[in-house]
Amino acid sequence: MAEKLNYRIEITGPAGDRFAEILTPAALEFVAKLDNAFAGRRRELLDERRRRRERVQSGEEQLDFLPETRRIRADDSWHIAPPAPGLEDRRVEITGPTDRKMTVNALNSGAKVWLADFEDATSPTWHNIVDGQLNLFDAIRRNIDFTTESGKRYTIGEDPATIVARPRGWHLVEKHIRIDGRPLSASLVDFGLYFFHNARQLIARGSGPYFYLPKLENHIEARLWNDVFLFAQNELGIPRGTVRATVLIETITAAFEMDEILFELREHAAGLNAGRWDYIFSVIKNFSEHGADFVLPDRAQVTMTVPFMRAYTELLVRTCHRRGAHAIGGMAAFIPSKDPDANATAFEKVRQDKEREAGDGFDGSWVAHPGLVPVCREVFDSVLGGWPNQLGRLRDDVDVTAADLLDVASAGGEVTEAGVRANINVALRYIDSWLRGTGAAAIHNLMEDAATAEIARCQVWQWIRNGTKFADGTALTRELAVEFLDEEFESVRGDLPAGHRLDDARAIFTETALGEKLPSFLTTSAYARHLCDAR
């Protein structure tokens, strides 16, 4: 990296313990080079995202499989790269933020893979981002431990999970690192710092720099990531094709371009994952103006077995296995509690969910808590036997049409007052947690992340927008939703100790769920203020 940049790189976040080990001049220069090379294309693609969403919302564009890429879909001859070291067997993956406790627990959980999450499970405070990089830096060098309040010390065991880092999405920026006054792409900051510090160390340990890519909306955005990988490998002298990326299919537009996404990333691709809550949020966001046919029932009723969700997951498995890619199932968010009866019921639901996925041909699945690793592993062990995956199950019996993917009305179900209240309650609790710096929050025995806030508040917006009625004929109006919000706010406030940010959480919910527009809570003015408060 002999070439020097003629830019002023500025860190606006406060210094922290050992932050200088991550924010070295060479690492910052590498990240700046990435941003300089790709920031323009990123902005263009985000502009096209907005334009396309407007076309879909207005009915000007109908979502369908792309005619211009039919050749890629029809060609049986191409496949992605073979599984990289540590990614041959992915039967159980655990997800969670990159704080020190989770890092040690996830690596020791018995899962095959840990999704080290800088995205939905991490509140993007400056401290969380840099401290997360430090924890991964230490973990990869086997130089990390964690001591509980009782004094018990934990270190990494002999067979830790393979680390797969998830950077933040293309839509976010990191305001605490600036080039000539402008913020950098959060995706490139997370990827660049991790890759710069750890790629060679990971390779030396028999693994590699592996990533989960969130929130992609089309194959052109995947092409941008592939070019980032090529650039980064070339800059650091890492062999081309060393990087591996698993893409989360968590937008409705990406569901129509799974083949194309794998094709663009094929020398770096590892598989696809079914991201449930963000996928449902994407459906609502894209079809917010399309009326009752796209109004979904209570969140708890939109299971993976409703027809339009099943079409999406079965197409994912078929597409992946046809191309030699792993298909990874959705997350079991349950958190074991001290109630044995509740645990028994929840564990059985998790088992049924994983049995469905394994039976459909998925190669593995996600859990959010170490206590669920044995359940998931047992299910996939029984199906896989001595095989590391199900890549040989091509699922040629699956035939999914555009109409199947768009048949949102097939979810059936109903909207209930209890469902509206549950969404408000959970959204308030989660946003409060997120504002205080915790992006993976235990709420009502479930591990919730940012996707929770998105689906919970956008459903309320959708129901108000459409005047959706309960079984007794009562329509959900903004006024009635405000009544529920007042009551749930008081209920939550009674449960939580002082020092929380419920007033701010309520303001964000009101802005993003009860207004005329449907913004993302991650782009509200409250969020911008939060990121600028130098924490």
Side-chain angles (χ1 to χ4, degrees):
M1 295 184 20
E3 178 189 354
K4 291 291 183 180
L5 294 175
N6 295 316
Y7 301 121
R8 178 172 54 89
I9 304 173
E10 181 184 11
I11 303 296
T12 63
D17 185 33
R18 297 181 59 207
F19 279 21
E21 295 180 36
I22 296 299
L23 303 171
T24 65
L28 292 173
E29 184 175 326
F30 177 70
V31 171
K33 281 188 174 183
L34 287 172
D35 196 78
N36 181 54
F38 299 107
R41 283 175 59 191
R42 168 187 168 271
R43 287 192 295 270
E44 290 172 1
L45 290 177
L46 291 178
D47 287 342
E48 177 54 28
R49 270 189 188 183
R50 288 188 286 272
R51 289 192 293 267
R52 188 183 192 193
R53 190 175 305 128
E54 290 171 358
R55 294 195 301 269
V56 172
Q57 286 175 338
S58 68
E60 180 184 348
E61 178 178 341
Q62 305 295 320
L63 290 187
D64 203 342
F65 298 100
L66 302 177
E68 63 267 29
T69 56
R70 185 179 293 111
R71 175 185 56 80
I72 292 173
R73 294 192 302 275
D75 185 354
D76 288 325
S77 67
W78 67 267
H79 295 80
I80 69 164
L87 293 179
E88 301 92 344
D89 186 332
R90 304 176 63 175
R91 68 188 68 197
V92 188
E93 300 192 354
I94 189 167
T95 72
T98 54
D99 62 83
R100 207 161 189 87
K101 179 180 178 181
M102 182 65 191
T103 297
V104 175
N105 286 343
L107 292 174
N108 289 341
S109 66
K112 294 291 187 179
V113 167
W114 171 38
L115 187 158
D117 195 9
F118 287 99
E119 203 228 7
D120 277 359
T122 291
S123 175
T125 64
W126 177 239
H127 174 271
N128 284 350
I129 295 302
V130 184
D131 189 63
Q133 292 281 352
L134 271 168
N135 291 331
L136 295 183
F137 181 94
D138 289 345
I140 289 164
R141 290 156 180 80
R142 305 294 190 266
N143 185 32
I144 191 171
D145 60 15
F146 175 77
T147 303
T148 65
E149 293 181 359
S150 64
K152 188 172 182 180
R153 180 172 176 267
Y154 292 88
T155 60
I156 298 178
E158 293 298 318
D159 187 25
T162 297
I163 297 173
V164 179
R166 177 161 68 164
R168 286 168 285 175
W170 282 130
H171 59 299
L172 296 175
V173 295
E174 177 49 70
K175 296 188 176 184
H176 296 100
I177 304 180
R178 294 175 176 268
I179 298 178
D180 290 341
R182 66 173 174 83
L184 271 65
S185 160
S187 299
L188 297 178
V189 168
D190 297 345
F191 165 81
L193 291 175
Y194 180 77
F195 186 87
F196 180 86
H197 287 295
N198 302 308
R200 291 191 183 91
Q201 185 72 216
L202 286 162
I203 294 166
R205 290 186 173 275
S207 182
Y210 306 146
F211 300 91
Y212 258 106
L213 304 181
K215 307 294 190 292
L216 295 191
E217 298 204 3
N218 56 64
H219 71 285
I220 306 300
E221 294 179 9
R223 181 182 300 166
L224 177 58
W225 267 118
N226 196 69
D227 289 344
V228 169
F229 297 154
L230 291 172
F231 182 97
Q233 290 166 141
N234 183 64
E235 278 290 306
L236 296 190
I238 303 296
R240 176 169 173 158
T242 300
V243 171
R244 287 292 192 277
T246 303
V247 176
L248 289 115
I249 302 299
E250 52 187 351
T251 64
I252 181 65
T253 51
F256 286 92
E257 301 183 36
M258 295 189 213
D259 270 305
E260 293 89 336
I261 287 169
L262 288 174
F263 182 81
E264 294 293 343
L265 287 161
R266 57 194 180 280
E267 64 181 311
H268 299 113
L272 304 177
N273 170 275
R276 173 184 178 183
W277 293 128
D278 277 305
Y279 188 80
I280 296 171
F281 167 59
S282 174
V283 169
I284 296 174
K285 181 169 59 176
N286 278 280
F287 298 103
S288 60
E289 306 295 333
H290 285 232
D293 284 346
F294 287 87
V295 173
L296 288 162
D298 286 358
R299 179 168 74 126
Q301 297 177 35
V302 188
T303 67
M304 300 303 284
T305 61
V306 301
F308 86 99
M309 294 296 286
R310 188 150 179 78
Y312 143 67
T313 56
E314 290 203 307
L315 178 61
L316 189 149
V317 174
R318 183 184 188 278
T319 303
C320 281
H321 288 184
R322 186 182 175 209
R323 307 304 181 185
H326 283 86
I328 308 299
M331 183 168 71
F334 173 68
I335 303 171
S337 70
K338 295 180 180 180
D339 182 341
D341 292 334
N343 283 349
T345 300
F347 270 71
E348 181 55 30
K349 290 181 179 179
V350 171
R351 182 179 299 279
Q352 291 174 5
D353 185 55
K354 301 312 171 190
E355 286 175 345
R356 173 191 55 78
E357 289 179 331
D360 283 347
F362 279 94
D363 302 290
S365 192
W366 281 6
V367 299
H369 190 278
L372 293 179
V373 169
V375 179
C376 186
R377 183 176 57 225
E378 181 182 334
V379 169
F380 277 89
D381 283 350
S382 67
V383 172
L384 294 175
W387 294 95
N389 51 60
Q390 299 196 75
L391 294 178
R393 282 194 66 190
L394 299 182
R395 291 307 310 268
D396 289 334
D397 57 305
V398 172
D399 182 19
V400 172
T401 66
D404 295 328
L405 292 174
L406 297 174
D407 188 14
V408 177
S410 68
E414 61 180 352
V415 177
T416 67
E417 178 180 330
V420 176
R421 288 182 176 275
N423 276 6
I424 294 171
N425 187 289
V426 170
L428 288 174
R429 291 175 186 272
Y430 179 78
I431 298 171
D432 164 72
S433 172
W434 183 85
L435 287 171
R436 290 182 294 106
T438 299
I443 302 174
H444 304 320
N445 293 326
L446 295 175
M447 186 64 76
E448 307 282 15
D449 67 12
T452 298
E454 294 289 40
I455 183 64
R457 60 93 192 171
C458 79
Q459 279 200 299
V460 174
W461 182 92
Q462 184 187 43
W463 295 333
I464 294 172
R465 179 82 171 182
N466 287 275
T468 302
K469 295 180 179 180
F470 303 144
D472 66 359
T474 301
L476 182 64
T477 62
R478 187 183 189 281
E479 292 70 27
L480 184 57
V482 169
E483 288 183 27
F484 293 162
L485 175 59
D486 290 341
E487 293 167 4
E488 293 305 318
F489 178 84
E490 292 302 323
S491 173
V492 173
R493 185 164 65 177
D495 289 344
L496 297 180
H500 285 246
R501 298 185 63 175
L502 272 178
D503 288 330
D504 291 333
R506 176 182 177 134
I508 290 177
F509 183 85
T510 299
E511 182 178 352
T512 61
L514 304 184
E516 288 296 317
K517 301 292 184 180
L518 181 62
S520 165
F521 100 85
L522 293 176
T523 57
T524 64
S525 57
Y527 172 77
R529 290 194 299 272
H530 169 66
L531 281 190
C532 289
D533 69 4
R535 287 202 295 149

